[in-house]
Amino acid sequence: MTLPPRFNFAGHLFELNRERAARPAYIDDRGTMSYGQLEERSRRLAAALLAAGIRREERVLLLMLDCNDWPVSFLGSLYAGVVPVAVNTLLTPDDYAYMLDHSRAQAVLVSGALLPTLQEAMSRGGHEVRALFVSQPTGALPEGAQEFDAALAAVEPLAAPVTTASDDPGFWLYSSGSTGKPKGTVHTHANLWWTAELYGKPVLGLTEDDVCFSAAKMYFAYGLGNALTFPLSVGATVVLMAERPTPDATFRRWTEHQPTVFFGAPTGFAGMLASPKLPAREAVALRMCSSAGEALPGEIAQRFKQHFGCEIIDGIGSTEMLHIFISNRPGDVRYGTTGRPVEGYEVELRGEDGRPVPDGEVGDLYIRGPSSALMYWANREKSRETFQGGWTKSGDKYTRDADGYYTYAGRSDDMLKVSGIYVSPFEVEATLMQHPAVLEAAVIGKEDAEGLTKTKAFVVLKDGGAATEDELKAFVKERLAPYKYPRFLEFVAELPKTATGKIQRFRLREKERQS
């Protein structure tokens, strides 16, 4: 598979779907947008950006709740040769002030509900933008701002996409911050195409008859593929949800819009299975679910399939690789593993000496494939550390079995060495979560009185669940090697997480150091 040197991903999608102009592309909380409307509105947004003086390759901050204006903003920017910087909608004004300054964004596309937070960020950071477009405003607009629909109505659709190269910077995503400060990850126009061709079509098997619904939001690399790249590449329909993906909110979309493919994360699947409002199998139309963000415990996947008769296809991707590169497949799922490498990607597990490790041993995960990001913006040190020639260092540790299936062993900075032997926090967490009273668990290292590293577990119990510290320790001892059980255990009401649901173990480590 090859791409022409000149390639604009938005223009590519619009061409693909011209014959589907009347079919529904998106359904959000306000209504349905057809493929024809998506193209026209995106081309108008492109013209509005250029009319506002935004030049090709300049950045625009995309701070918007999941709604029909989100794909219009993203694709319209690409069509104009402008670089959208999609950012998390749950951050603080200080975070946005940093991102505005770091990306040097020349315009902002923002939801009205988020405008006060953005204004505070702009007042703190001192970075000025040339244009501000507000979607669904909730009050009076600040001076110089344009209401989104009015800005689109004031211009004619841009006649043709700006000529871009397949390897031109297309868009940015900020890393989710599970290990500290987010980094501006620069992706190309071609990278979106590669993930659809290598994963969305052959692995997920999406077709135009599918209705896709992603709990992961579109600013997240996983959500961007689920709710834009993959479905639009085959002409499917997408359900968008602005609110948080609570079990109740998710169930409403399942029963109202009858999605056939659902994309979630382990934390979400665990919460749904624990909910007393879990719909009956007959009430939904799910044919397949996908999980990423963190490794999916096999116990959760098995319980879900038992209830819905629907497989959860677990995989691992990253912001740096844009989407999933190791995955289980429909009909070929080994619960508890992440599956096998996606065709088109090479995977290596390397030891501390940089050499490949044999099957069964824990190694650092490296990936080589065509969807790798170009760099971290203005961060040469981290770029060199992560992007090593053709290889990308993921920061994850894995093992591979004799059949070529990969099993998650934790983040490189989360791995523990207990009595000189590596212990995977995830393995201990997954075992704790098999206990009927446990909802979630996170494991870190804690020094004992002698200064030796031992495991400590933070445990969240289900509503109405009851278990003692000794009971849970014994539960793990019975199922894992004795040195792996948590020597320390603390019950907590909740675990610290990123907005995309990843457990922030580094915050638990900070808490321990301060106690």
Side-chain angles (χ1 to χ4, degrees):
M1 291 186 288
T2 58
L3 277 174
R6 301 297 176 190
F7 179 76
N8 183 291
F9 185 73
H12 162 72
L13 286 185
F14 298 154
E15 272 188 48
L16 279 180
N17 293 298
R18 291 263 159 78
E19 295 182 358
R20 300 186 179 99
R23 287 179 61 88
Y26 285 95
I27 304 170
D28 71 0
D29 299 333
R30 301 173 74 200
T32 299
M33 178 170 62
S34 69
Y35 271 96
Q37 290 169 324
L38 171 64
E39 177 177 355
E40 181 185 356
R41 287 176 63 79
S42 298
R43 289 169 56 194
R44 285 183 182 274
L45 188 276
L49 287 171
L50 297 178
I54 310 303
R55 296 169 293 188
R56 62 175 297 168
E57 297 187 10
E58 290 186 325
R59 273 77 63 193
V60 296
L61 199 76
L62 175 47
L63 174 58
M64 198 173 283
L65 302 171
D66 275 20
C67 66
N68 289 349
D69 287 343
W70 203 107
V72 168
S73 298
F74 186 83
L75 294 173
S77 298
L78 293 180
Y79 200 81
V82 170
V83 179
V85 179
V87 297
N88 189 328
T89 59
L90 300 174
L91 301 180
T92 67
D94 284 341
D95 292 321
Y96 297 131
Y98 165 76
M99 291 173 175
L100 282 165
D101 182 63
H102 181 250
S103 67
R104 299 194 282 279
Q106 297 301 301
V108 180
L109 300 153
V110 62
S111 290
L114 302 172
L115 181 59
T117 305
L118 173 70
Q119 288 178 288
E120 188 174 346
M122 293 172 71
S123 68
R124 290 186 187 184
H127 176 82
E128 294 185 6
V129 299
R130 300 207 299 273
L132 177 61
F133 299 88
V134 184
S135 168
Q136 302 175 34
T138 57
L141 296 180
E143 185 178 352
Q146 299 182 64
E147 192 273 327
F148 197 85
D149 287 339
L152 269 56
V155 294
E156 291 299 315
L158 191 63
V162 168
T163 302
T164 52
S166 57
D167 285 339
D168 276 354
F171 63 101
W172 292 18
L173 299 170
Y174 275 95
S175 62
S176 59
S178 60
T179 57
K181 201 167 186 65
K183 300 176 287 292
T185 311
V186 182
H187 278 285
T188 69
H189 280 261
N191 287 359
L192 294 159
W193 184 85
W194 281 114
T195 58
E197 295 302 312
L198 295 178
Y199 186 75
K201 295 178 183 179
V203 176
L204 296 179
L206 297 181
T207 73
E208 67 178 1
D209 296 324
D210 277 311
V211 178
C212 299
F213 174 39
S214 177
K217 300 300 184 182
M218 296 176 80
Y219 61 76
F220 185 29
Y222 179 50
L224 180 62
N226 304 339
L228 190 148
T229 314
F230 301 164
L232 297 193
S233 292
V234 298
T237 299
V238 183
V239 175
L240 295 178
M241 178 173 69
E243 64 184 299
R244 288 179 56 245
T246 62
D248 286 356
T250 300
F251 298 156
R252 284 198 300 275
R253 274 71 181 185
W254 281 4
T255 55
E256 180 179 349
H257 298 297
Q258 296 289 295
T260 57
V261 182
F262 174 72
F263 301 87
T267 300
F269 285 113
M272 288 187 287
L273 287 171
S275 171
K277 297 181 181 178
L278 186 70
R281 180 188 296 198
E282 298 75 23
V284 304
L286 297 173
R287 70 168 182 84
M288 182 177 65
C289 292
S290 167
S291 179
E294 286 195 305
L296 177 71
E299 182 263 347
I300 290 176
Q302 288 169 334
R303 285 170 53 208
F304 191 92
K305 184 177 181 181
Q306 191 172 33
H307 183 86
F308 288 109
C310 171
E311 289 180 322
I312 301 178
I313 309 302
D314 187 28
I316 180 175
S318 67
T319 304
E320 291 76 11
M321 295 302 296
L322 190 54
H323 214 274
I324 289 172
F325 46 81
I326 299 177
S327 183
N328 283 278
R329 272 86 164 162
D332 180 18
V333 176
R334 289 200 183 182
Y335 291 124
T337 80
T338 309
R340 295 176 289 113
V342 172
E343 188 173 349
Y345 293 92
E346 295 178 62
V347 172
E348 281 190 4
L349 301 182
R350 302 178 187 174
E352 293 180 1
D353 60 1
R355 297 179 180 178
V357 300
D359 289 348
E361 288 193 15
V362 173
D364 291 307
L365 178 65
Y366 287 76
I367 314 100
R368 180 159 62 187
S371 63
S372 177
L374 294 173
M375 62 178 147
Y376 298 128
W377 183 262
N379 195 334
R380 193 172 189 182
E381 179 182 356
K382 287 292 183 182
S383 293
R384 285 179 165 177
E385 184 180 312
T386 299
F387 306 109
Q388 302 180 11
W391 293 91
T392 299
K393 183 178 182 181
S394 75
D396 297 292
K397 285 188 180 287
Y398 264 80
T399 60
R400 183 186 60 214
D401 66 20
D403 295 326
Y405 289 80
Y406 287 74
T407 299
Y408 184 64
R411 288 286 299 174
S412 297
D413 48 8
D414 290 331
M415 285 295 290
L416 308 173
K417 230 174 188 180
V418 178
S419 302
I421 306 172
Y422 273 120
V423 175
S424 163
F426 177 76
E427 183 181 23
V428 182
E429 293 162 4
T431 303
L432 281 165
M433 289 174 63
Q434 293 173 20
H435 192 283
V438 175
L439 176 63
E440 292 182 308
V443 171
I444 64 168
K446 174 183 171 70
E447 289 190 356
D448 63 13
E450 297 177 340
L452 299 174
T453 298
K454 305 296 182 186
T455 49
K456 174 170 181 176
F458 294 83
V459 174
V460 180
L461 295 177
K462 295 176 182 176
D463 288 342
T468 66
E469 180 179 334
D470 288 342
E471 178 186 350
L472 293 181
K473 288 181 178 180
F475 184 82
V476 176
K477 266 187 182 180
E478 291 170 2
R479 289 160 176 78
L480 297 179
Y483 68 88
K484 295 182 178 181
Y485 87 93
R487 304 319 201 265
F488 309 97
L489 193 145
E490 180 179 338
F491 294 102
V492 294
E494 61 181 0
L495 298 173
K497 296 172 186 170
T498 69
T500 55
K502 292 184 182 180
I503 295 171
Q504 293 177 309
R505 294 174 186 81
F506 76 96
R507 295 203 181 280
L508 295 174
R509 290 193 290 267
E510 289 173 358
K511 176 185 173 183
E512 277 301 305
R513 285 195 292 269
Q514 294 166 4
S515 63

